[in-house]
Structures are given as structure tokens and as C-alpha cells.
Amino acid sequence: MSANAGVIPELRALLRLEGFRKLFAVRLVSQAGDGMFQVGLASLLFFSPESQGTAAAIAGAFAVMLAPFTIVGPFAGVFLDRWQRRQVLAWGNAVRVVITLGMAALMLSGGVTGWIYALGLAALSVNRFLLAGLSAGLPRVVEGPLLLTANSLTPTLGAGAAFVGGGIGFLLSLMFEPGRVKDSSALVCAALVFGVASLLALRLGRTRLGPDRPAEGAISGEIVKVARGLADGARYLVARRTPGQALLVMATHRFLYGVVFIASILISRNLLSPGDQAAGMATFGVVVALTGVGGAGAMVLTPTISRRTGPQGWIAIMLLLAAASQLLMVTTPARGVVYAGAALLGLAAQGTKIAVDTIVQRDTEDAYRGRAFAFYDVLYNAAFVGAAALAAFTLPDTGWSRAVFVGLAVAYVLAALVLWTRGARTPPGTGTGTEAEVGAGAEPGTDESGGEKESSPSREYRTMANGRTGYGPASGRPHRG
């Protein structure tokens, strides 16, 4: 209650900052366009009558949508330190206008072709730069203690804007009869919104978001440095044990969850609503919404229960809950069962993520935190891409297979058992503390000896569980949105 009460005044303080208001407006409008674009792309690649509804085709399209976040994401900073970030926001959205209108035109004239995939990949790659630019520019318009609040609230509210934009795009598409016009309508709407976001970015001064001294070294050298940094982060996490194990569990869960996600698309399209594009998208929309409801439940339950179990114990419980959701799916592919499974898995997924984020932040030294979370980003998205490959070979075109869901349940149980019986509870050299101290540890700002430190585990865990995530003031690098 007190945490939520503190968020509202801080948000009001943020909105009094002119630079923040302008940058925040760009984020909200840009991500609302993202939502419309993703609905349009999903309609084209997953639910269009012209698209192939096979497991392999759906998995391949899904991998295309995620590739930019795995490949482009870690190296976006190399270019954002060379280009004025305000220009990136303005020109990036303008480029997306051209790409998205081109996709709509190609859809109207020739249907789903290889060019649709290529342009979709290009648009999503530009989007990855824009998201990174929005985060990199935030410290230039917000300073001091409010930066942590801004780092955590803006990605959350931006995701909300994307959800609203996607809903608007879906509702607008219902105004048209099934066909190419319907499939391209959300793309046209998204292009218009991208144009507005580009114009809003021009309200900021050209150099307002930095960098003050653009990098001038060879790009190839900088890319090599990023790759080495990722490797250093991976080696550090393995040696540190607890954050490395947490990321391994997260990657395992993300891999298994990705298979379920693709199965949900196939079940919605080919099993529960065969031959009806609008009904298929509506069914999948309910699945996604209930997954979000489960995630919201995790934000309420995690801070309370995890204080008794510790983060590792909570992760093990969430993995068992995920296994239960898959055993539920084994019974029958009825609509109610699919919806209930989605809500349970959403709770398990978000509960696991909150605990993993806490362990990685708590047990990673500040000097390595940026590289650790950059590696986290790569692993997080690469696991989903790997899931697409597995889904292509194991799922039937209807998306429902008892054998696959049993296998997923067994994998979740094994992951929980390994973490519970073999997982480290504290990093090397930290004494004999237990996870019970998370959420009920030392006083904020002090360690066990009374000396100052960046933040206590108690504060970090409550902050993350309430959605206010961040690397902390010292790092200056926002958490993933």
C-alpha cells in the first residue's frame, strides 16, 4: 500500500518536467503504434486466410518477429552513442511509416509474400532501436531519485499503450469484411500513429537527448567490445552462481513457455475457431489477456509469499504451477481449459521473472550489472526463438498434443527439482544468510555491519515485485521494458 502511495506523487513530479513530458508522449504514441502494427502483423502471419496455418509456418513467422530483439538488441547502444537520439526517434518513426505503408500496399496487391516477412523484420528492427533510444534518452530529462521511478514506470505504461493500440487496431479491423483490406487496415492505422510519434519527437531539441560527444571510433571495434562484454557478463554470472543459475532457470522456463505460446496460436486459429479469422484472433486475444491477469496476480502474491520461501523457493513453486497448467491442458482442448491454463501459466511466468530479476540484481556487483542484464536480454529472447524451432517439429497443426503437454509438464517439474535440490542459495563469500532475508532483511541503505550500500534486498524485492524495476541509480541503465 505504501509503495503504491509513493508512486503517484513521484509520477506527478515527473509530469511536471517538460522534457520528460515530451519524451513520454513520444513513447506512448510510438508504442501505441507498435501495438497496432503487431496486431496487423499477427493478422497477416498467423490468422490471415492467405497465411499457412501449419505449426512450421507459425513457428517460422514467430521466430522472424523475435529475431531483432535477439540479434539487434545488444548492439543498439553502439549506434545510439553515435547518433543524436532525438534524431533516432524522429527518423526511426518516419522510416516505420514508409515500411508499414509499403507492407500494406504489398498486402493489397499480392497478399502474403516473402517481402512481407522482410519488411516486417525491418520494421521490428527499427522498433528495437527506438525502444533503446527512449531508454537511453531518459536520464537526460530526469535526474536524481526520480530516475528510478521513471525507469520503471515508463516501460510499464508504454506496454499499456501498446496493449491499447493493439485493441484499437483489432476493433478497427472488424469494420471490414474478411480479405486483404481487413488484413492491411491495422498496418495503415499504425503508419499514421508512427507519423504522429515522429512529429512529437521534433518538439525536443536536437541535442536534448544526447550524446554530448558522439562516439567516433570504428564501429567494428565497438561491436567487438559489446560481444566481449556479453561474454564477460556470462562468465561472471556462472562464477557468481546464484544469478547464473537464476538465468538458466529463466531461459528454461522461457523456452518451454514459448512452445505453449505457439500452441496457443495454433489452438485459437485451427482448433477453437477454424476458418474464422476474426474469431481466431478474438480467442487468442482472450488467451493473452488472461495471461496478463495471471501476471498481475503474481505482482500481488510474490512480495508476500516469497518472504517466507525466498526467491529460489518461490521460483520452484512457480515452476510446479507451470507444470500443473500443462497437465490441465492434457485433459482436453476445451475453451475453458485453455483459458484457465493461460491464466495459471501467466502467474507462473511473471512470478518466476520477478524472482529471477531480484536474484540477478541483488547478487550481481554493480560493475557487472549492465553486462549481466545485457546477457539476460539475449538469453531471454533467444530461448523464445529456440522454442519456435522445437514447436515446428513437435506440435501438430491444431496445436494440441497430449504427448507435448506431458513433456512440458515433466520438464517444468525437473527444473523445479534441480533448482530446489542443487541450486545455490547465496553467492560465494556472502556468509550463511538465507533467502528469508529477501523482503525482511537489513534496514534500507545499510548492510549487516551498519555500513552504507546501494540498496537492501528487502527494498529491491518489494520494488521489483510492484513493477518498479531498475538497475539502480548507480548504474544509470534502465531495466528492460
Side-chain angles (χ1 to χ4, degrees):
M1 184 74 178
S2 59
N4 291 334
V7 172
I8 302 302
E10 291 178 346
L11 180 58
R12 290 173 179 166
L14 285 169
L15 292 175
R16 286 195 288 269
L17 302 175
E18 181 182 5
F20 174 80
R21 288 199 308 272
K22 292 179 178 179
L23 185 62
F24 190 43
V26 176
R27 176 184 282 275
L28 292 181
V29 175
S30 180
Q31 291 200 242
D34 292 342
M36 292 183 183
F37 178 81
Q38 289 165 13
V39 165
L41 196 60
S43 176
L44 291 176
L45 302 184
F46 300 146
F47 295 96
S48 170
E50 298 190 31
S51 64
Q52 297 181 33
T54 65
I58 297 295
F62 191 72
V64 167
M65 293 180 68
L66 282 175
F69 294 89
T70 307
I71 301 171
V72 178
F75 303 99
V78 173
F79 299 94
L80 290 173
D81 290 339
R82 294 171 174 271
W83 303 335
Q84 290 297 328
R85 293 164 193 144
R86 181 266 221 173
Q87 298 298 93
V88 170
L89 299 180
W91 282 103
N93 276 300
V95 168
R96 289 204 293 176
V97 171
V98 176
I99 293 175
T100 306
L101 289 177
M103 291 178 66
L106 286 173
M107 186 61 206
L108 288 172
S109 61
V112 178
T113 64
W115 283 107
I116 294 291
Y117 284 88
L119 291 176
L121 182 61
L124 291 170
S125 298
V126 173
N127 178 48
R128 192 64 187 88
F129 275 102
L130 292 174
L131 291 175
L134 287 165
S135 295
L138 196 56
R140 300 296 298 257
V141 296
V142 180
E143 297 179 352
L146 287 176
L147 181 58
L148 179 58
T149 302
N151 276 335
S152 31
L153 287 181
T154 52
T156 302
L157 296 175
F163 184 80
V164 171
I168 293 173
F170 175 71
L171 292 175
L172 288 174
S173 69
L174 296 179
M175 299 170 58
F176 302 95
E177 294 295 326
R180 293 180 180 180
V181 173
K182 177 186 178 73
D183 293 335
S184 60
S185 60
L187 296 177
V188 174
C189 294
L192 296 175
V193 176
F194 292 151
V196 173
S198 180
L199 294 175
L200 288 174
L202 296 177
R203 298 193 304 161
L204 291 156
R206 181 184 176 88
T207 59
R208 184 71 173 88
L209 304 180
D212 291 327
R213 300 186 188 88
E216 297 178 352
I219 292 179
S220 58
E222 295 299 319
I223 291 177
V224 170
K225 287 181 181 178
V226 171
R228 288 175 178 170
L230 290 174
D232 289 342
R235 284 192 292 268
Y236 171 84
L237 291 169
V238 171
R240 194 69 173 164
R241 296 186 66 192
T242 50
Q245 290 172 0
L247 288 191
L248 182 60
V249 170
M250 187 72 237
T252 301
H253 165 68
R254 185 76 170 165
F255 179 77
L256 301 174
Y257 176 79
V259 177
V260 180
F261 190 85
I262 295 174
S264 299
I265 296 175
L266 290 166
I267 290 172
S268 300
R269 184 190 196 278
N270 298 336
L271 193 60
L272 297 180
S273 307
D276 190 334
Q277 176 187 0
M281 283 201 64
T283 298
F284 183 65
V286 173
V287 170
V288 172
L290 289 173
T291 302
V293 170
M299 294 178 66
V300 175
L301 296 175
T302 300
T304 302
I305 302 178
S306 61
R307 292 176 187 174
R308 296 181 175 87
T309 64
Q312 281 88 351
W314 180 247
I315 292 172
I317 292 171
M318 291 295 97
L319 291 173
L320 292 176
L321 181 63
S325 74
Q326 299 312 292
L327 291 177
L328 181 63
M329 289 293 295
V330 170
T331 60
T332 176
R335 192 176 297 268
V337 171
V338 173
Y339 289 165
L344 289 176
L345 191 56
L347 171 60
Q350 186 64 16
T352 301
K353 183 179 181 300
I354 291 170
V356 168
D357 285 355
T358 300
I359 293 170
V360 175
Q361 178 160 355
R362 183 197 65 186
D363 294 347
T364 302
E365 295 172 346
D366 188 63
Y368 285 89
R369 195 166 290 149
R371 282 171 285 180
F373 272 94
F375 180 70
Y376 186 174
D377 279 334
V378 172
L379 204 60
Y380 189 83
N381 292 299
F384 229 38
V385 174
L390 178 63
F393 288 102
T394 58
L395 287 174
D397 292 345
T398 60
W400 188 76
S401 166
R402 278 197 173 94
V404 170
F405 289 124
V406 168
L408 293 172
V410 170
Y412 273 122
V413 170
L414 290 176
L417 289 176
V418 170
L419 177 65
W420 183 254
T421 59
R422 301 286 185 179
R425 296 298 190 266
T426 57
T430 56
T432 59
T434 66
E435 295 84 15
E437 294 169 347
V438 178
E443 287 296 318
T446 63
D447 58 20
E448 291 77 7
S449 63
E452 292 185 357
K453 67 177 184 178
E454 185 176 332
S455 60
S456 70
S458 171
R459 182 182 178 191
E460 286 178 359
Y461 203 85
R462 286 197 301 270
T463 298
M464 283 199 162
N466 284 285
R468 300 173 58 203
T469 55
Y471 289 174
S475 68
R477 185 179 183 272
H479 182 59
R480 292 173 291 105

